[in-house]
Amino acid sequence: MRVAIVGAGVLGRICALRLIAEQHQVSLFERGSLHPLSNAAFMSAGMIAPLGESLHAPARVLQLGWQSLATWPALLAQLQQQDPLHADVLFQQRGTLVIAFSADRTSFSQWQQDLGATIPEDSEQVAWLDRNALLTMEPVLERFDRAAWLKADAQLCNREFLQASTRALLAHAQVDCDTALGTADIAQLASRFDWLIDCRGSGAIGQSDSQLPTPSLRGVRGEILRVRCPALSLTRPIRVIHPRYVFYLVPKRNHEIVVGATEIESSSDHPMTLRSALELMSTLYAVHPALAEAEILETGVAVRAAYPDNGPHLARYQNRIVANGLYRHGWLMGPALANAIVKILHGDRSAEPTAIQDQLNNNYRNSNTPNNSPNPNPNHNPTNNLNNNLNNNLNNNLNNNDTETPAGDNHVLHY
């Protein structure tokens, strides 16, 4: 197949890599550079945390997140083969530690109560740590006396992924950069290909398509701080509960730490404000005194595309597919959404909006939320079981619906 992909964010890249691996001809169109310095994928922290997001994200987002979590290792192994340099992209599944300052005990207790309403208190997915257990896991967190360990959460190095995927795409796909395409341009472009996948993200804000009606996209501004602190060693992401926001620290290679918290309802990409910088820096310093000497490498801003319900929408009209609204969950949902898109391209009726929506809902209601230990047995990993159940159900639907969907059908999936 000849497939055009518009947008080289997280989802666009994963779709391209999947299709390249299947020997399809892929043409990628990107309004900027494949070496981005300011987009949402570049500025993010690369967290894949269905447990960490369990109180904030819609249930359907978490379901896609569990499926993606099980998919990422194989996807990164595939990327290593496609990358001409065969570079290794950092991927860690050591869980997330959730902590709070002593002044915020009430907020932590409320968070614990809310989490218990979502995940049973006796669940093996979450471990409640006293001070000794916490210091055994992360000795630098000496200012805290309790924590929650969300065992299954993972992270990858987003920038290493972008670098490796850029090399792979330049080597194996036709790439057209610095090409801004509007809705009318995309409709015309689709006539030159078997399929066109529109993954423009924030580039589609303010544009509408009468043939693919979806809710209006809005921009949500996110701000991050990146520091280097050789005197401090963290081995997993940390979330700090605060009455007004959730603050996170995500360790990367070379003693770098990505720090974030802000979510502002705005499409503006102006530089970080003084208020945001002070909030991030003061909270960071309060975590450990050594961070007072951390080098500030950069401050960054990115705009994420979101629908009113903060969930992704996938729509198809003839040979055009639109996927957008990943909000701040691109790394969490990307592989699962790419899997659904590739299934549609192969004529899988179970991947059409109405069928896959039913499967996602049924699996979420009927499956226990997965749990992972630090060294899970793959034969007894509920994450794998959930992913296998979903794929088996989708394949069963495909076997029972082996006729093609008429090319003129218009489907919109609100995941």
Side-chain angles (χ1 to χ4, degrees), residues 152-215:
D153 287 355
Q155 66 131 330
L156 56 74
C157 182
N158 54 309
R159 297 187 177 182
E160 291 178 4
F161 176 87
L162 292 174
Q163 292 167 356
S165 59
T166 292
R167 292 190 295 266
L169 292 170
L170 291 174
H172 303 292
Q174 179 69 41
V175 177
D176 191 342
C177 293
D178 301 313
T179 302
L181 299 174
T183 301
D185 301 318
I186 290 174
Q188 293 180 356
L189 183 65
S191 65
R192 295 164 41 193
F193 293 88
D194 298 313
W195 286 95
L196 183 143
I197 306 170
D198 181 353
C199 305
R200 285 177 293 164
S202 61
I205 293 175
Q207 300 194 30
S208 62
D209 188 338
S210 60
Q211 295 175 326
L212 287 165
T214 57

Side-chain angles (χ1 to χ4, degrees), residues 2 8 65 98 114 122 165 167 178 181-182 184 191-192 225 254 256 286 302 313 321 329-330 342 386 393 399:
R2 297 177 65 250
V98 182
D114 294 341
D122 60 351
S165 59
R167 292 190 295 266
D178 301 313
L181 299 174
S191 65
R192 295 164 41 193
L225 177 71
N254 302 318
E256 293 185 12
H313 291 227
I321 297 173
H329 302 124
V342 172
L386 180 61
N393 287 335
N399 293 334

